[in-house]
Amino acid sequence: MKNNYFNGKERIMKKGIIVASFGTTYEETRKLCIESIENRVREKYKDFLVLRAFTSQMVINKLKKRDNYNVNNIREALEEMKNDGIEEIYIQSLHILSGYEYEKILRQTEEFIKDNRDCSVKIGKPLLYDDEDYEKIVKILNLPDVKADEWIILMGHGTSHETDISYDKLEKIFREKGYEKVSIATVEGRITIEDLIPKLKNEGVKKVFLRPFMLVAGDHVINDMVSEEEDSWKSILEKEGFNVEGILEGLGQLREIQDIYLQHIEKIMD
């Protein structure tokens, strides 16, 4: 069924928004951190068709096999829009960095446009992009004051992509705003939890608060950050003598973070 209608002689074409994230296999955090944003997009853009897409084909395949739960990748979501008669399409990335997963959106969109030149597609920026977004994020997180022997570590995903330096920039802004006891480590980037341990010991830290700097509190947070597995961040720090407390909250749960993504949609519609 085509998503357009006639108003007298004028055909009005419905527009579409694809909300694109890496994805997660955890249902609860998907609802808290991804569906919550999708619902806000639907509330604001009531006349738009809003679709979900994941950029991780591995997550898509696992959900299909394990739960018989279907999620589009970017190309499939674009094709669904086109088949529904929609030729003005906006894609909003829910990624943190403009790294490989964001580039996947760009690449699949470019391939789609080559075959569908009658369609217009615009892509919104990820979370850490504009300077003003960094400033907003520091304010939004509103990290608590900690005691002299305490420290806060944010867990980023990290990447071999050059945009991994975005975490350095964010940490620098935390320092500029007076957060002296905050560090960012990553699962797959340059700065790991092991890199921070000498600094923590040198500062006389006794207790560490771990908090995810990821869209969802999914596999990395549950397993790599706070599990009892010997290679989790919690276990690694406890072996080094630190008391550890984990905060299990994905960025997508925070309304103010959702606001940034909505503002990025507004920018591409201007």
Side-chain angles (χ1 to χ4, degrees), residues 50-227:
V50 178
L51 296 181
R52 171 185 301 165
F54 289 171
T55 58
S56 171
Q57 195 62 45
M58 180 178 66
V59 170
I60 292 172
N61 293 344
K62 183 172 181 179
L63 287 171
K64 172 65 177 176
K65 182 177 180 180
R66 187 191 70 189
D67 305 330
N68 196 29
Y69 185 85
N70 296 308
V71 181
N72 287 329
N73 61 30
I74 299 299
R75 180 66 189 247
E76 290 167 344
L78 286 166
E79 294 288 355
E80 183 172 336
M81 289 273 184
K82 177 66 186 301
N83 292 338
D84 241 356
I86 297 172
E87 296 177 354
E88 184 174 336
I89 304 169
Y90 301 89
I91 302 175
Q92 179 52 51
S93 162
L94 300 188
H95 299 88
I96 306 299
L97 309 178
S98 52
Y100 294 121
E101 294 299 317
Y102 182 72
E103 289 178 350
K104 193 182 295 183
I105 297 176
L106 302 180
R107 186 170 61 253
Q108 292 186 8
T109 298
E110 182 179 359
E111 292 169 355
F112 172 79
I113 290 296
K114 286 180 181 177
D115 299 329
N116 300 275
R117 297 190 179 277
D118 52 339
C119 288
S120 167
V121 184
K122 294 183 179 180
I123 302 170
K125 302 302 183 185
L127 189 66
L128 291 179
Y129 195 84
D130 295 325
D131 289 344
E132 63 184 34
D133 292 332
Y134 285 79
E135 301 271 348
K136 289 177 184 176
I137 288 163
V138 171
K139 184 176 181 180
I140 289 166
L141 291 183
N142 191 27
L143 298 177
D145 293 331
V146 292
K147 299 176 182 177
D149 62 351
E150 296 177 339
W151 206 270
I152 298 172
I153 298 178
L154 302 179
M155 173 192 257
H157 187 279
T159 175
S160 59
H161 193 279
E162 61 185 10
T163 52
D164 194 70
I165 62 172
S166 300
Y167 298 112
D168 298 343
K169 179 177 178 179
L170 182 61
E171 187 174 312
K172 181 181 177 182
I173 294 176
F174 270 112
R175 294 282 183 273
E176 292 173 353
K177 299 299 181 181
Y179 294 94
E180 298 294 332
K181 297 180 179 296
V182 176
S183 296
I184 303 174
T186 61
V187 181
E188 298 180 10
R190 293 174 302 108
I191 306 299
T192 67
I193 191 65
E194 288 86 353
D195 294 319
L196 295 185
I197 289 174
K199 178 180 178 65
L200 297 176
K201 289 185 174 181
N202 187 56
E203 295 285 345
V205 174
K206 302 298 182 185
K207 182 172 183 178
V208 176
F209 295 92
L210 296 176
R211 177 172 180 167
F213 189 75
M214 299 181 179
L215 179 71
V216 301
D219 186 64
H220 284 305
V221 174
I222 294 169
N223 294 313
D224 297 331
M225 194 176 87
V226 295
S227 76

Side-chain angles (χ1 to χ4, degrees), residues 8-25:
K9 295 182 179 179
E10 180 183 4
R11 188 177 104 168
I12 301 175
M13 182 68 68
K14 188 172 181 180
K15 303 174 184 179
I17 299 173
I18 297 170
V19 182
S21 64
F22 179 86
T24 179
T25 60

Side-chain angles (χ1 to χ4, degrees), residues 20-55:
S21 64
F22 179 86
T24 179
T25 60
Y26 288 78
E27 181 180 7
E28 182 178 358
T29 195
R30 183 177 71 236
K31 291 179 178 178
L32 288 172
C33 301
I34 297 176
E35 286 187 17
S36 59
I37 299 174
E38 294 167 344
N39 289 338
R40 288 198 61 194
V41 172
R42 290 189 178 94
E43 288 171 10
K44 183 170 183 178
Y45 299 98
K46 292 183 172 62
D47 295 329
F48 287 62
L49 174 64
V50 178
L51 296 181
R52 171 185 301 165
F54 289 171
T55 58

